[in-house]
């Protein structure tokens, strides 16, 4: 079973099992570590924690031992508003006003992964 991660406004990273049933004891979010409140929209891929910074870039650090001052810039070309992980890949929603595509991170660049646009 996978895990869901959430970065709260207070800078704490929380986790719970992805398949947890509503109302079960597993459904409760558990605090993992404080990583700071300067990031938003987190995702975890292969033990690496990613988050969107204030400039719509993505920063990263190892999930194990993560800390407030552990962030490093990913230096990927392009900007995103939010990120998510699926099947070992990192996806991001673009920043174009009025709606943008979903992109997938390939190497050091975001490549368009959708035909539609977010709203």
């Amino acid at each position: 079973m996978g895990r869901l991660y959430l970065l709260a406004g207070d800078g704490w990273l929380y986790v719970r099992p992805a398949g947890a049933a509503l109302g079960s004891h597993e459904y409760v979010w558990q605090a993992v570590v404080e990583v700071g409140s300067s990031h938003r929209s987190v995702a975890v891929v292969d033990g690496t924690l990613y988050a969107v910074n204030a400039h719509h870039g993505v920063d990263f650090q190892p999930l194990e031992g993560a800390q407030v001052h552990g962030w490093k810039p990913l230096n990927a070309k392009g900007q995103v508003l939010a990120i998510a992980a699926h099947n070992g890949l990192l996806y991001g929603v673009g920043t174009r006003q009025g709606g943008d595509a979903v992109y997938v991170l390939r190497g050091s660049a975001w490549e368009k992964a959708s035909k539609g646009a977010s709203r």
Side-chain angles (χ1 to χ4, degrees), residues 1-93:
M1 180 180 337
R3 295 178 180 195
L4 296 176
Y5 291 89
L6 168 93
L7 181 59
D10 63 1
W12 276 85
L13 183 68
Y14 292 82
V15 66
R16 74 169 174 85
L22 181 62
S24 74
H25 72 282
E26 291 181 328
Y27 193 81
V28 177
W29 291 96
Q30 300 291 321
V32 177
V33 65
E34 184 179 9
V35 293
S37 58
S38 62
H39 289 82
R40 61 174 185 246
S41 187
V42 295
V44 175
V45 177
D46 296 331
T48 300
L49 174 64
Y50 297 89
V52 177
N53 62 38
H55 305 288
H56 304 292
V58 176
D59 296 335
F60 72 99
Q61 63 177 305
L63 179 59
E64 186 174 325
Q67 55 185 314
V68 174
H69 301 291
W71 295 107
K72 295 180 179 159
L74 187 59
N75 294 323
K77 295 177 185 173
Q79 296 181 323
V80 293
L81 292 174
I83 56 174
H86 181 68
N87 285 340
L89 296 173
L90 188 64
Y91 293 87
V93 177

